[in-house]
Amino acid sequence: MLLISCPNCGPRDETEFHYGGQAHVAYPENPDALTDRQWAEYLFYRDNTKGAFAERWVHSTGCRQWFNMLRDTVSYDIQAIYKMGEPRPGMERAVVNTTAATTPEGARK
């Protein structure tokens, strides 16, 4: 069982939270210009990382606020919790997925 530290409420049991998928997936700037394939890739293609992975979570039975979590997918170790809109820790200088219509790393067309 995980103990997740909500940025607004403090440490709580994982049963109070819901997983929201991969973090830092930007909405396409011009969705009308996307092909069906690009739109499908935006909706369904996500990284399947072994190791550190940025995720979105919501404290559904508490403050109902969304936040990001950097979690190791192998050990379940929570490495960082940060607010929505903030860059992933350790990636402040990197550009994070500015073109959502591109294929995520490791995905095949």
Side-chain angles (χ1 to χ4, degrees):
M1 179 129 344
L2 290 175
L3 185 63
I4 298 174
S5 184
C6 174
N8 302 307
C9 305
R12 298 286 194 272
D13 188 89
E14 71 174 297
T15 58
E16 294 188 14
F17 298 86
H18 280 97
Y19 178 76
Q22 181 178 352
H24 308 292
V25 178
Y27 190 79
E29 289 183 28
N30 189 3
D32 294 333
L34 298 180
T35 65
D36 288 344
R37 174 110 194 153
Q38 291 170 323
W39 188 248
E41 289 175 0
Y42 164 72
L43 291 175
F44 302 112
Y45 281 39
R46 296 293 181 261
D47 293 340
N48 188 14
T49 304
K50 185 176 184 181
F53 188 65
E55 306 168 327
R56 298 175 53 199
W57 286 79
V58 62
H59 192 185
S60 54
T61 61
C63 63
R64 299 183 182 186
Q65 298 295 308
W66 287 89
F67 60 91
N68 292 326
M69 178 189 310
L70 187 62
R71 182 178 64 89
D72 190 308
T73 57
V74 176
S75 66
Y76 294 96
D77 179 44
I78 298 172
Q79 300 171 348
I81 293 177
Y82 52 103
K83 294 182 180 180
M84 300 296 288
E86 292 182 357
R88 177 181 163 166
M91 302 283 288
E92 288 84 6
R93 294 185 183 179
V95 176
V96 179
N97 201 8
T98 58
T99 55
T102 60
T103 303
E105 292 180 26
R108 294 183 187 175
K109 290 186 176 182

